[in-house]
Structure formats: C-alpha cells, structure tokens
Amino acid sequence: MTTKKVALVTGGTRGIGLGIARSLARADYDLVICGVREVSAVTEAIAEIQNSGADVFYVQADVSDKTARHHLIAATRKHFGRLNLLINNAGIAPKPRADILDATEESFDEVIGINLRGPFFLTQEAAKWMIEQRRADAKYWGAIVNISSVSATVASTNRGDYCISKAGVAMATKLWAARLGEFDIPVYEVRPGIIKTDMTASVVGKYEKLLSEGAAIQPRWGTPEDVGRVVASLARGEFPYSTGSVFMVDGGMTVQRI
C-alpha cells in the first residue's frame, strides 16, 4: 500500500482554506488542518473533507503564537510522522477597516502577526523538518505554498496593514524559494483576487459594484475552489521548475489595461 503524502493547511476549515483542503483530499493527500476554533465548531467541515477519503487531523492553533506553532508541527509529527506540503493560508482582515490616517498600532500588530510573522516562522520550522526528511530519503518530495492576495501589489488605503502583510508574504516566498533551492524544495505563491468567502461577506456590495464595472476581465466572483484547483496542481508536482513563481487567481484583475 502506497503511503499518502501529507499536507498541512492553516485556516483550512472555511473560506479559501477549505477549498484548498477539499482539492488536496481529492488529489490523494492526507491532511492536517489548523484553525483557531474549537473542534466542536469544525466537525462538519472535517467530515466533509474526510468523505473524499483523506485522513484528516485537526489541530487548534493560532499561527501568530510561537508555542502554538511548535505544538502544530509536533502534533503533525506524532500523528503522521511526515510532512510533504505546507499551505500558509490562515489570515485575517483588519477589524475594522480604517483609513491609514486613522489606523491603530494594535490592528497593525494583529494583522502582521497572523498574516506575515506567523507563516514566516511556521515555514522556518516546517522547512527544517522537510530538510531532515530530504536528507533521510533522496526520493522525498516537499513543497511550500503561500496564499497571499492581489493586495500584495494593489493598494487599498482603508486596509494598509493587510496590504503590507501580503506584500511581506510575497517577499517571504522569494526568500524561502532561494534558501530551500539547494534541497529541491520549491516554494510558490498563489495570489487570489475577489473571492467569495466569509472574509468578504461584509463588503459584498463594494465588490459587486467593482465587478460590474469591469474590475476583473472575467466578470464574476472567484471561489475557494478556484484557488484550491491551482494549489492541487502545485501539490501534484506539475510545476517542478518554477520555484518562486506567483500564480494569479484573480480573473485578470491585475492585468494592466488601457
């Protein structure tokens, strides 16, 4: 019996993360799902993923917390004994969205902690384990995928902290790709555009208007499944010579037009 590859998906019980988890389960991965909610609040989502045939292990952990990150990796080691794919997906929008003239340090620190500092240091710990696995087995395959946003390059002055966090994720992708190249561990970035999730639920009207006015070439909302399908293709190893690359899932939103 072939041992399945294992993926760790942060923020994997709803929104984009759930779309990614569904796609990876269908791609024959077993899964570690990380989230901040109690187990009782995620049982339905976990059961749905399991229905695709995956062994799903849920770990409650806040990626912005050093102790929680260590626990997440340790729990993955104990349950599966291996890790092939890290999906840094967990992220938040600022609460509330505020003009950068009025933004607070508290909001900035919270957003940066979860969206940038957390995934950077989770990658550090996961990468060390991946290197260990590579050295133990020449046939080992591992990869890292960072989920950022078009906000890495598109300015929104009412959520500057979010934009800065995603721009940081973009640079972190390049840094980790460069550092892990000698171990043949590719690192990719996926940049979603306007995706229909609970994060965008409070600004549906704004985005409906933007889409109707041609903000994206493909005039529709993106879905978590759109993102999941791209991540699954990376998980299948279909882009072996593309480390450091950015994969846009934005319906052409960032295509410059005149």
Side-chain angles (χ1 to χ4, degrees), residues 105-148:
E105 291 190 33
E106 291 77 15
S107 175
F108 187 94
D109 289 345
E110 181 182 30
V111 171
I112 294 296
I114 293 172
N115 293 7
L116 178 56
R117 181 167 52 82
F120 182 87
F121 285 104
L122 181 60
T123 296
Q124 182 187 70
E125 189 158 358
K128 289 178 179 178
W129 184 16
M130 288 180 174
I131 291 168
E132 176 188 319
Q133 292 174 93
R134 163 70 71 184
R135 286 172 170 162
D137 180 4
K139 295 181 180 179
Y140 168 81
W141 182 90
I144 295 164
V145 179
N146 291 326
I147 308 301
S148 65

Side-chain angles (χ1 to χ4, degrees), residues 23-95:
S23 293
L24 290 176
R26 290 193 293 267
D28 208 27
Y29 268 77
D30 285 333
L31 295 161
V32 178
I33 303 294
C34 161
V36 296
R37 294 183 289 170
E38 297 285 344
V39 175
S40 59
V42 301
T43 52
E44 186 176 337
I46 297 300
E48 178 192 345
I49 303 167
Q50 288 173 326
N51 286 338
S52 295
D55 181 352
V56 182
F57 178 53
Y58 180 72
V59 180
Q60 185 180 3
D62 179 349
V63 297
S64 68
D65 181 81
K66 179 179 180 180
T67 301
R69 290 193 301 269
H70 180 72
H71 167 67
L72 174 59
I73 295 298
T76 302
R77 274 185 181 263
K78 183 176 180 180
H79 187 83
F80 284 116
R82 61 193 184 281
L83 178 65
N84 300 93
L85 183 65
L86 170 63
I87 309 295
N88 284 308
N89 166 75
I92 62 167
K95 308 185 292 284

Side-chain angles (χ1 to χ4, degrees), residues 238-256:
E238 293 177 3
F239 295 87
Y241 198 56
S242 301
T243 191
S245 291
V246 179
F247 293 82
M248 306 302 298
V249 192
D250 68 350
M253 180 181 177
T254 51
V255 174
Q256 192 170 23

